[in-house]
Amino acid sequence: MAEAELPAPVSLRRFDLSDLDDYWIWASDERVTASCSWEAYKNKDDLRRYMAETVLPNPWFLAIIAGGRPVGAVSLKIPEAANDRCRVELGYVLAREWWGKGVATAAVRLATEAAMAEIQGLERVEALVEIGNKASLRVLEKVGFQREGLLRRYWWNKGLIWDMAIYSFTTADSFLI
Amino acid sequence: METEENRKGDNRSIHLPPPPPISLRPFDTSESDIDGLVALAADAAANRFLRRGPFASRDDAVRFLHDKVLPHPWYRAICLPDGRLVGSISLRPGISGDGAPRSASLGYRVAPKFRCRGIATEAVRAATAAAFEEWPELERVEAVADVENPASQRVLEKAGFAREAVLRDYMVLKGESRDVIMYSCMSRDRMARKTLKT
């Protein structure tokens, strides 16, 4: 897949319920949600409830802003056990029309940098990507994440068992963008 | 002409010692099992790779038994034929949407004076086999070993696990973040080994 990467100023911020219509654009798109753990939303009330209950209260569930509006989300999963909190898992999702423009790369870099600066004791940001999702593997590599290996038959999602590449960015790494 | 020396040198058949006849059983609330947990945890002070250290009191061990061990999805005592408790091993099944685990995470410990006898390897093999029996949809058993713990790495390798990745700064041990090696065993690895045996 050829990518036309135009530089697009990208920023991150907390979501607000007024973002519902923008959120709906990617959250209802099956091409986008195919690689997610969740199904595309079929009605806006369900999405509003998810935003109110799950998205808004989470300080690490952030809107990716490009062209002045939310075009996706990046979030961090912080482990339950205190002993595991030297690591967080990063995930992101982006509206289809914004693929191939460097937006995800910028968002991953911004989120990783913010996490390292703000989360006490954090040494490692990790991300898991299905091995066949080349565009997503490239996003992480362009930021400066290192591929550590392949976790075989790691994730059961949507009726299939997935092999996942595991990447990380640690305090020993430098951003490439 | 065949001499004594020639015959000795020509030993092509390698006899591996038989695996130790250990058994795995659930813990119970007996005094001897509580003693066993106390003893296993006491050894942790000397073991830099164990996160959970010695119990501050016997009451703490009892609390641990009731809060963590008995309700655990799969937690077993490793026992010798004479009944002596020499270690523990556990499997934590992953969460899957339909309640049938597809992956499980394995951890174990063996008392220091019973190490280097193949006990851990045999326990890991037996636990992995039990996991694939207990959870029919299981695809993967995984375990991590610290990069500076070659003994544990060898246990997993001898038990048929494959090394997948070095995960950097993955977990905190005694105040510092550690690199670990992720190992896994797939149900089809076991089927392949079964075929080779016959």
Side-chain angles (χ1 to χ4, degrees):
Chain A
M1 176 175 85
E3 282 181 21
E5 275 177 48
L6 310 168
V10 173
S11 62
L12 306 179
R13 63 158 170 80
R14 298 284 292 271
F15 276 102
D16 184 83
L17 281 177
S18 60
D19 296 323
L20 178 62
D21 290 343
D22 288 321
Y23 206 125
W24 174 257
I25 290 172
W26 70 83
S28 60
D29 185 341
E30 285 178 359
R31 293 167 306 174
V32 169
T33 65
S35 61
C36 301
S37 62
W38 43 279
E39 299 290 346
Y41 279 84
K42 298 214 167 7
N43 88 63
K44 265 188 181 169
D45 284 338
D46 289 344
L47 181 58
R48 186 189 289 109
R49 191 168 24 249
Y50 177 72
M51 288 182 75
E53 290 173 7
T54 304
V55 178
L56 265 56
N58 185 344
W60 289 105
F61 203 136
L62 302 169
I64 302 172
I65 308 295
R69 61 196 319 128
V71 299
V74 59
S75 62
L76 303 179
K77 193 164 25 164
I78 297 174
E80 278 189 39
N83 244 343
D84 290 338
R85 289 193 188 159
C86 54
R87 69 176 190 265
V88 296
E89 185 186 338
L90 178 148
Y92 66 90
V93 62
L94 194 65
R96 185 73 184 83
E97 71 161 307
W98 287 91
W99 292 9
K101 299 186 197 314
V103 174
T105 307
V108 167
R109 187 239 152 91
L110 289 170
T112 303
E113 190 164 32
M116 290 297 206
E118 292 170 43
I119 299 177
Q120 186 84 270
L122 184 64
E123 308 250 350
R124 167 190 180 86
V125 176
E126 64 183 26
L128 275 65
V129 175
E130 194 265 317
I131 192 63
N133 188 344
K134 293 193 169 61
S136 204
L137 304 178
R138 264 202 308 277
V139 163
L140 298 172
E141 285 160 10
K142 281 189 287 191
V143 174
F145 278 62
Q146 307 289 333
R147 180 184 316 199
E148 292 172 328
L150 181 71
L151 307 183
R152 302 174 299 161
R153 301 174 94 78
Y154 186 79
W155 193 37
W156 173 249
N157 187 41
K158 297 178 174 169
L160 292 172
I161 196 81
W162 299 28
D163 294 342
M164 306 296 281
I166 182 160
Y167 283 79
S168 72
F169 187 95
T170 74
T171 48
D173 295 323
S174 305
F175 290 114
L176 298 179
I177 50 127
Chain B
M1 182 176 75
E2 192 186 75
T3 64
E4 187 66 37
E5 269 177 34
N6 282 356
R7 256 188 289 129
K8 272 188 191 166
D10 194 28
N11 184 3
R12 287 198 188 91
S13 56
I14 297 164
H15 299 285
L16 292 170
I22 53 108
S23 62
L24 305 182
R25 63 157 175 84
F27 279 86
D28 55 46
T29 54
S30 65
E31 290 304 304
S32 73
D33 269 14
I34 296 168
D35 290 343
L37 283 173
V38 169
L40 279 177
D43 291 333
N47 184 330
R48 52 187 284 231
F49 302 114
L50 291 177
R51 285 168 123 180
R52 184 174 45 80
F55 293 113
S57 68
R58 192 181 172 77
D59 278 350
D60 279 357
V62 175
R63 224 179 330 267
F64 177 76
L65 175 69
H66 286 274
D67 293 351
K68 303 284 183 193
V69 175
L70 297 177
H72 195 285
W74 203 97
Y75 202 115
R76 298 288 184 270
I78 304 171
C79 296
L80 296 180
D82 63 8
R84 273 182 300 168
L85 199 164
V86 298
S88 64
I89 187 160
S90 65
L91 289 160
R92 174 138 330 254
I95 300 164
S96 65
D98 58 8
R102 301 303 194 289
S103 70
S105 217
L106 180 148
Y108 69 89
R109 63 174 73 188
V110 172
K113 58 182 196 193
F114 295 101
R115 294 205 185 117
C116 301
R117 299 189 199 183
I119 287 172
T121 303
E122 189 54 29
V124 168
R125 255 197 222 117
T128 306
F132 286 112
E133 284 276 334
E134 171 131 359
W135 297 301
E137 312 299 335
L138 196 67
E139 300 273 355
R140 170 190 177 88
V141 177
E142 64 182 35
V144 296
D146 195 284
V147 293
E148 289 180 9
N149 191 349
S152 199
Q153 295 164 28
R154 268 197 304 276
V155 164
L156 295 168
E157 285 157 14
K158 285 190 290 183
F161 281 60
R163 185 181 164 125
E164 283 179 332
V166 175
L167 307 181
R168 303 170 302 156
D169 293 320
Y170 190 70
M171 53 194 260
V172 177
L173 198 61
K174 300 185 166 148
E176 62 161 340
S177 63
R178 305 292 307 170
D179 294 353
V180 300
I181 306 175
M182 172 68 84
Y183 286 88
S184 69
C185 180
M186 311 280 103
S187 53
R188 58 167 188 258
D189 294 345
R190 294 186 53 248
M191 296 319 294
R193 276 208 310 285
K194 266 192 182 161
T195 315
L196 282 170
K197 254 184 175 178
T198 56

